Amino acid sequence: MQTIYFDHAATTPLDEQVFEAMKPYFCEEFGNANSAHQLGNNAKVAVEEAREKIAQFIGAEPAEIIFTSGGTESDNAAIKGAVAATGKTEVITSPLEHHAVLHTVEAMKRSGVKPVYVEPDERGIISAQKVADAITERTAVVSIMHVNNELGTINPIKEIADVCHQRNVPFHSDTVQSVGKLPVDVNELGIDLLSISGHKIYGPKGIGVLYMRHTTPWMPWMHGGSQERRRRGGTLNVPGIIGLAKALELCEEHREEHTRHFKNLRSRMVDGLQSKFPEAISMNADCDDCVPHILNMSLTDDDGNGVDGEMLLLNLDMEGICVSNGSACTSGAVEPSHVLAGIGLDEHIANSSIRISFGKNNTEPQVDYFLDKLQEVVSRMKATA
Ligand code: PMP
């Protein structure tokens, strides 16, 4: 049985070329980039080259790049660092952010921080006007993601950044799902703090970047050694850093080609879904507002009720197909994802959703296989209902 992986928004396989670039830094060039000897220096040179490369891809200065353990740490560091440095007490964000942002701001309530949530429109998009309306003199930072990881929707980042700057408020964007897929230039978009994760772009897990504009008020969150100019303590993950830089280079080199490929797979998928399930499929985000590699839909039965999303996922998994669904098992109970609930989707429809996220190695025959298997699985579920 073949395995078909349509869950690239969750994680991506490491690119072979990335693996090759990382290999020497495990066993041969294993030095600590902060050591004064030859091996340490070799690691440091490689890290600084990687830093320069990454900075260039996002239009930043190398000194504005801080290596972290991933998207979650970068989101925590951006928000906590801006709050600490400004001494202000409100953080503006949206209910559709990743938990790395939402749980961070909720946890900060304990130290007197007030999260201010800007509601999305019915498509799941955050308007710059609503952000402008929420800003007060107490606003420490605004944090709005570029691309939503469940829906694929794209927020108007430049407009949001503009309203933040008019009010002199730092702007953070979680670009974990957009870097390497959309053009992301911190100056063109006006982003002051930005989060990147290696494993979403065919790079390694456990490595990320926090971009911090040098004029942005920000204080270190993680203390320890003097690494990263005392902005993030901890021995540098040298192979991870080399891998992240190589992964970003490859994604940038092939970005347009990948976009064309994803558009083609998406239209084949959407056409197939509409012809096989004309009544039963509803899209949870409009393709025109989204990145082409993420597709979120719900499936209903003959009575218009949402099918059991957990069962659907399990049955597809038995056929070798990996996708995600829009529910999470919290304390034993299945709850709809906060994103689907946040766009006002009925709980049953949200629980019957599946997210398909394409990667560069997916093929048209895989889409066709998926469509056939989905039809078989849905019929099987109907027969046993
Ligand atoms: N933000 C977004 C939008 C994400 O999709 C993810 C990964 N699911 C993260 C942050 C967290 O990144 P990491 O896994 O590198 O901690």
Side-chain angles (χ1 to χ4, degrees), residues 15 18 198 201-204 242-252:
D15 187 293
V18 171
I201 55 171
Y202 310 94
I242 306 305
L244 171 53
K246 184 67 185 175
L248 190 53
E249 177 191 320
L250 293 172
C251 281
E252 285 298 319

Side-chain angles (χ1 to χ4, degrees), residues 143-163:
S143 179
I144 300 291
M145 71 205 319
H146 193 183
V147 166
N148 185 276
N149 50 303
E150 290 192 37
L151 297 170
T153 39
I154 306 168
N155 281 315
I157 289 304
K158 182 167 170 32
E159 289 77 0
I160 296 172
D162 285 348
V163 302

Side-chain angles (χ1 to χ4, degrees), residues 61-235:
E61 295 293 326
E64 294 174 318
I65 300 294
I66 301 174
F67 290 111
T68 67
S69 64
T72 302
E73 185 188 326
S74 297
D75 286 348
N76 268 267
I79 295 169
K80 292 178 180 174
V83 169
T86 57
K88 297 188 176 179
T89 53
E90 290 179 2
V91 177
I92 297 177
T93 187
S94 101
L96 305 193
E97 294 295 310
H98 192 269
H99 283 143
V101 166
L102 292 179
H103 289 172
T104 299
V105 294
E106 283 296 317
M108 289 174 81
K109 279 181 178 171
R110 287 196 290 271
S111 42
V113 170
K114 180 180 163 209
V116 176
Y117 295 106
V118 173
E119 290 301 323
D121 66 15
E122 66 293 343
R123 299 167 302 163
I125 293 175
I126 310 301
S127 88
Q129 186 55 51
K130 283 194 182 162
V131 172
D133 294 344
I135 293 177
T136 69
E137 70 281 3
R138 295 176 299 280
T139 309
V141 61
V142 170
S143 179
I144 300 291
M145 71 205 319
H146 193 183
V147 166
N148 185 276
N149 50 303
E150 290 192 37
L151 297 170
T153 39
I154 306 168
N155 281 315
I157 289 304
K158 182 167 170 32
E159 289 77 0
I160 296 172
D162 285 348
V163 302
C164 292
H165 296 151
Q166 279 156 21
R167 305 285 293 276
N168 218 11
V169 171
F171 174 53
H172 167 245
S173 187
D174 176 334
T175 60
V176 164
Q177 295 288 348
S178 63
V179 157
K181 282 133 195 156
L182 295 178
V184 175
D185 180 294
V186 290
N187 294 316
E188 276 170 26
L189 294 176
I191 299 172
D192 302 311
L193 296 150
L194 163 153
S195 309
I196 299 177
S197 171
H199 72 101
K200 308 287 182 176
I201 55 171
Y202 310 94
K205 294 171 179 60
I207 185 74
V209 160
L210 169 66
Y211 156 77
M212 192 210 41
R213 188 179 293 282
H214 60 86
T215 49
T216 299
W218 185 82
M219 264 163 65
W221 170 62
M222 196 132 138
H223 303 281
S226 61
Q227 293 90 355
E228 300 299 80
R229 300 171 175 226
R230 297 195 178 277
R231 295 173 300 184
R232 197 273 188 184
T235 301

Side-chain angles (χ1 to χ4, degrees), residues 255-273:
R255 182 151 49 76
E256 284 171 17
E257 173 200 327
H258 289 166
T259 303
R260 276 195 302 277
H261 181 55
F262 297 147
K263 282 186 176 162
N264 178 45
L265 294 179
R266 176 176 70 183
S267 72
R268 194 178 186 90
M269 181 66 86
V270 172
D271 289 351
L273 289 167

Side-chain angles (χ1 to χ4, degrees), residues 288-360:
D288 292 339
D289 300 321
C290 293
V291 284
H293 68 286
I294 299 180
L295 204 65
N296 195 313
M297 63 188 192
S298 289
L299 257 171
T300 47
D301 61 20
D302 296 342
D303 303 322
N305 300 316
V307 301
D308 182 337
E310 288 281 289
M311 282 303 288
L312 187 61
L313 209 71
L314 217 79
N315 275 284
L316 286 171
D317 190 31
M318 279 175 357
E319 302 291 347
I321 295 168
C322 308
V323 292
S324 286
N325 97 320
S327 60
C329 199
T330 316
S331 326
V334 176
E335 288 183 0
S337 95
H338 68 283
V339 173
L340 298 181
I343 57 167
L345 221 59
D346 171 88
E347 186 178 332
H348 299 291
I349 301 296
N351 282 339
S352 73
S353 75
I354 54 177
R355 178 189 67 184
I356 295 164
S357 46
F358 298 120
K360 60 182 179 178

